[in-house]
Amino acid sequence: MSRLALPALFIGLALAVAVVAWQGFGDVAKALSEAGFRLLWLVPLFLIPLLLSGLAWSVIFPAGNRPSLQRLCLASWIAVSINWLLPVAQIGGEVAKAVWLARRAAPAPMMVATAIVDKVLQTAGQAFVALIGVGLVLVLASDSAVVPGAVLFAVLLLALIPAFFLAQRRGLLLRLVAAGERVFMKHLKGREAGGLVERLGGLDAALSAVGAAPGRLFAHLVIRLVSRLVLAAEVWLALALLGHPVSVLEALMIECLAQTLRSAAFAVPGAYGVQEGGFVLLGALVGVPAEVALSVSLAKRMRELLVGLPGLLFYQISEGRLALAAR
């Protein structure tokens, strides 16, 4: 993956620059200047879905093992910061948040198990988001060319959910961890690997305990879905500030399908280029000029930087302090 990440990153960035150049740097800059610093409201607005993400994660913990909501929100902040800004195929942040939490809360297998289930249910939530976007396209837009691809992607995501639980019941997850550690030890050349499998020996039991409460899983799915839909407020607000207001349903359609495109392009770091082109395409469905739709995408990129860079800094500092304390 590391061999592919950097080339994919450069290709994505080049594509993003090409999309901006295609629309005209001057036109995009003019659209952004009209909104000015008011676009910074997207930063505090993101605190709502971040809080909902932490709340959804807390719901699936069995009684007596639930960390504080503050700690879960911090771990979620770390995850999105890494997934946004580093070439980790949208999964590295989930690994980092699981490890970060397991080092600070006990039992570690339960912390990792809930992080795994949280990611699986995020995938299910994204499938429903895609279907919501498809439904809104059929209602609001005359051009439905994006519908077949979005439906197919949603079906594939939903198929991953039963596959995960089947793998868990057959013990395949722990075998995967063991295989990964063997590869890791091979590259360490004699140094200590850390006994990951031994420390997570109760992972299967923890996964079973989390999955034994379908009511909590359903509540998590609902909260996660709401957190994703709340992001449509960013599109609505940005377009209003850029002088091209749309209805709430139109903003929701754009956001749902933009998230779907971004998830489908997980191999491209940050979905650079894919997100920009997607906003131009989706904005056109509701009559938003291309340079304005592109400006919305760039405003979201600004929010990712202003939220994600402090998140990466917090992650480095907190892990550094923990390492120093361990020494």
Side-chain angles (χ1 to χ4, degrees), residues 226-244:
V226 171
S227 73
R228 287 184 176 274
L229 298 181
V230 165
L231 288 171
E234 288 186 339
V235 176
W236 180 86
L237 177 60
L239 284 171
L241 294 175
L242 290 165
H244 287 271

mmCIF file of all heavy atoms in Angstrom, residues 226-244:
data_model
loop_
_atom_site.group_PDB
_atom_site.id
_atom_site.type_symbol
_atom_site.label_atom_id
_atom_site.label_comp_id
_atom_site.label_asym_id
_atom_site.label_seq_id
_atom_site.Cartn_x
_atom_site.Cartn_y
_atom_site.Cartn_z
ATOM 1 N N VAL A 226 -27.109 9.984 11.164
ATOM 2 C CA VAL A 226 -27.440 11.392 11.410
ATOM 3 C C VAL A 226 -26.193 12.255 11.299
ATOM 4 O O VAL A 226 -26.221 13.347 10.713
ATOM 5 C CB VAL A 226 -28.107 11.558 12.787
ATOM 6 C CG1 VAL A 226 -28.260 13.041 13.142
ATOM 7 C CG2 VAL A 226 -29.472 10.881 12.810
ATOM 8 N N SER A 227 -25.071 11.766 11.847
ATOM 9 C CA SER A 227 -23.828 12.551 11.798
ATOM 10 C C SER A 227 -23.380 12.790 10.364
ATOM 11 O O SER A 227 -22.850 13.860 10.038
ATOM 12 C CB SER A 227 -22.722 11.852 12.593
ATOM 13 O OG SER A 227 -22.241 10.700 11.916
ATOM 14 N N ARG A 228 -23.593 11.805 9.489
ATOM 15 C CA ARG A 228 -23.223 11.976 8.080
ATOM 16 C C ARG A 228 -24.166 12.939 7.379
ATOM 17 O O ARG A 228 -23.749 13.753 6.552
ATOM 18 C CB ARG A 228 -23.241 10.622 7.368
ATOM 19 C CG ARG A 228 -22.071 9.713 7.760
ATOM 20 C CD ARG A 228 -22.094 8.432 6.947
ATOM 21 N NE ARG A 228 -20.949 7.590 7.238
ATOM 22 C CZ ARG A 228 -19.756 7.700 6.651
ATOM 23 N NH1 ARG A 228 -19.568 8.634 5.751
ATOM 24 N NH2 ARG A 228 -18.764 6.889 6.975
ATOM 25 N N LEU A 229 -25.450 12.868 7.711
ATOM 26 C CA LEU A 229 -26.418 13.746 7.066
ATOM 27 C C LEU A 229 -26.256 15.190 7.532
ATOM 28 O O LEU A 229 -26.535 16.123 6.772
ATOM 29 C CB LEU A 229 -27.838 13.253 7.347
ATOM 30 C CG LEU A 229 -28.179 11.859 6.807
ATOM 31 C CD1 LEU A 229 -29.623 11.502 7.127
ATOM 32 C CD2 LEU A 229 -27.928 11.767 5.310
ATOM 33 N N VAL A 230 -25.800 15.380 8.772
ATOM 34 C CA VAL A 230 -25.583 16.741 9.289
ATOM 35 C C VAL A 230 -24.562 17.488 8.443
ATOM 36 O O VAL A 230 -24.603 18.719 8.330
ATOM 37 C CB VAL A 230 -25.153 16.681 10.766
ATOM 38 C CG1 VAL A 230 -24.578 18.008 11.240
ATOM 39 C CG2 VAL A 230 -26.355 16.311 11.643
ATOM 40 N N LEU A 231 -23.643 16.742 7.815
ATOM 41 C CA LEU A 231 -22.625 17.381 6.987
ATOM 42 C C LEU A 231 -23.219 18.127 5.801
ATOM 43 O O LEU A 231 -22.554 18.969 5.199
ATOM 44 C CB LEU A 231 -21.618 16.338 6.501
ATOM 45 C CG LEU A 231 -20.655 15.799 7.563
ATOM 46 C CD1 LEU A 231 -19.861 14.621 7.025
ATOM 47 C CD2 LEU A 231 -19.726 16.897 8.053
ATOM 48 N N ALA A 232 -24.476 17.804 5.462
ATOM 49 C CA ALA A 232 -25.135 18.553 4.390
ATOM 50 C C ALA A 232 -25.301 20.019 4.761
ATOM 51 O O ALA A 232 -25.425 20.877 3.876
ATOM 52 C CB ALA A 232 -26.501 17.935 4.072
ATOM 53 N N ALA A 233 -25.287 20.323 6.062
ATOM 54 C CA ALA A 233 -25.385 21.724 6.492
ATOM 55 C C ALA A 233 -24.186 22.518 5.990
ATOM 56 O O ALA A 233 -24.303 23.724 5.724
ATOM 57 C CB ALA A 233 -25.481 21.807 8.015
ATOM 58 N N GLU A 234 -23.029 21.866 5.845
ATOM 59 C CA GLU A 234 -21.858 22.548 5.292
ATOM 60 C C GLU A 234 -22.119 22.997 3.862
ATOM 61 O O GLU A 234 -21.797 24.133 3.487
ATOM 62 C CB GLU A 234 -20.642 21.613 5.319
ATOM 63 C CG GLU A 234 -20.071 21.345 6.682
ATOM 64 C CD GLU A 234 -18.790 20.538 6.603
ATOM 65 O OE1 GLU A 234 -18.564 19.867 5.568
ATOM 66 O OE2 GLU A 234 -18.001 20.586 7.563
ATOM 67 N N VAL A 235 -22.686 22.098 3.057
ATOM 68 C CA VAL A 235 -22.973 22.433 1.660
ATOM 69 C C VAL A 235 -23.998 23.554 1.588
ATOM 70 O O VAL A 235 -23.840 24.519 0.821
ATOM 71 C CB VAL A 235 -23.482 21.181 0.912
ATOM 72 C CG1 VAL A 235 -23.886 21.535 -0.515
ATOM 73 C CG2 VAL A 235 -22.405 20.097 0.910
ATOM 74 N N TRP A 236 -25.055 23.441 2.380
ATOM 75 C CA TRP A 236 -26.113 24.462 2.379
ATOM 76 C C TRP A 236 -25.554 25.820 2.779
ATOM 77 O O TRP A 236 -25.818 26.839 2.125
ATOM 78 C CB TRP A 236 -27.221 24.039 3.333
ATOM 79 C CG TRP A 236 -28.355 25.003 3.400
ATOM 80 C CD1 TRP A 236 -29.448 25.067 2.587
ATOM 81 C CD2 TRP A 236 -28.485 26.087 4.342
ATOM 82 N NE1 TRP A 236 -30.264 26.116 2.948
ATOM 83 C CE2 TRP A 236 -29.699 26.757 4.023
ATOM 84 C CE3 TRP A 236 -27.729 26.537 5.406
ATOM 85 C CZ2 TRP A 236 -30.136 27.864 4.751
ATOM 86 C CZ3 TRP A 236 -28.157 27.638 6.130
ATOM 87 C CH2 TRP A 236 -29.361 28.293 5.793
ATOM 88 N N LEU A 237 -24.749 25.849 3.854
ATOM 89 C CA LEU A 237 -24.194 27.107 4.340
ATOM 90 C C LEU A 237 -23.190 27.679 3.351
ATOM 91 O O LEU A 237 -23.214 28.892 3.055
ATOM 92 C CB LEU A 237 -23.529 26.888 5.702
ATOM 93 C CG LEU A 237 -22.827 28.102 6.320
ATOM 94 C CD1 LEU A 237 -23.816 29.237 6.548
ATOM 95 C CD2 LEU A 237 -22.122 27.722 7.623
ATOM 96 N N ALA A 238 -22.309 26.849 2.820
ATOM 97 C CA ALA A 238 -21.290 27.335 1.891
ATOM 98 C C ALA A 238 -21.928 27.925 0.643
ATOM 99 O O ALA A 238 -21.524 28.999 0.168
ATOM 100 C CB ALA A 238 -20.335 26.203 1.525
ATOM 101 N N LEU A 239 -22.924 27.246 0.095
ATOM 102 C CA LEU A 239 -23.583 27.764 -1.104
ATOM 103 C C LEU A 239 -24.330 29.063 -0.807
ATOM 104 O O LEU A 239 -24.360 29.976 -1.649
ATOM 105 C CB LEU A 239 -24.543 26.715 -1.678
ATOM 106 C CG LEU A 239 -23.866 25.561 -2.430
ATOM 107 C CD1 LEU A 239 -24.869 24.475 -2.759
ATOM 108 C CD2 LEU A 239 -23.182 26.066 -3.688
ATOM 109 N N ALA A 240 -24.915 29.167 0.379
ATOM 110 C CA ALA A 240 -25.586 30.414 0.750
ATOM 111 C C ALA A 240 -24.571 31.551 0.847
ATOM 112 O O ALA A 240 -24.820 32.671 0.371
ATOM 113 C CB ALA A 240 -26.326 30.234 2.063
ATOM 114 N N LEU A 241 -23.416 31.283 1.440
ATOM 115 C CA LEU A 241 -22.383 32.311 1.576
ATOM 116 C C LEU A 241 -21.770 32.681 0.232
ATOM 117 O O LEU A 241 -21.315 33.806 0.037
ATOM 118 C CB LEU A 241 -21.287 31.822 2.534
ATOM 119 C CG LEU A 241 -21.707 31.624 3.999
ATOM 120 C CD1 LEU A 241 -20.569 31.019 4.802
ATOM 121 C CD2 LEU A 241 -22.152 32.942 4.615
ATOM 122 N N LEU A 242 -21.772 31.729 -0.709
ATOM 123 C CA LEU A 242 -21.218 31.982 -2.035
ATOM 124 C C LEU A 242 -22.221 32.646 -2.975
ATOM 125 O O LEU A 242 -21.914 32.901 -4.137
ATOM 126 C CB LEU A 242 -20.733 30.668 -2.649
ATOM 127 C CG LEU A 242 -19.479 30.060 -2.006
ATOM 128 C CD1 LEU A 242 -19.301 28.611 -2.417
ATOM 129 C CD2 LEU A 242 -18.241 30.876 -2.353
ATOM 130 N N GLY A 243 -23.427 32.905 -2.464
ATOM 131 C CA GLY A 243 -24.418 33.622 -3.256
ATOM 132 C C GLY A 243 -25.272 32.758 -4.156
ATOM 133 O O GLY A 243 -25.957 33.274 -5.049
ATOM 134 N N HIS A 244 -25.270 31.440 -3.944
ATOM 135 C CA HIS A 244 -26.097 30.541 -4.748
ATOM 136 C C HIS A 244 -26.832 29.575 -3.812
ATOM 137 O O HIS A 244 -26.520 28.376 -3.754
ATOM 138 C CB HIS A 244 -25.247 29.758 -5.752
ATOM 139 C CG HIS A 244 -24.757 30.586 -6.882
ATOM 140 N ND1 HIS A 244 -25.458 30.771 -8.056
ATOM 141 C CD2 HIS A 244 -23.621 31.331 -7.004
ATOM 142 C CE1 HIS A 244 -24.776 31.560 -8.857
ATOM 143 N NE2 HIS A 244 -23.658 31.914 -8.248
#
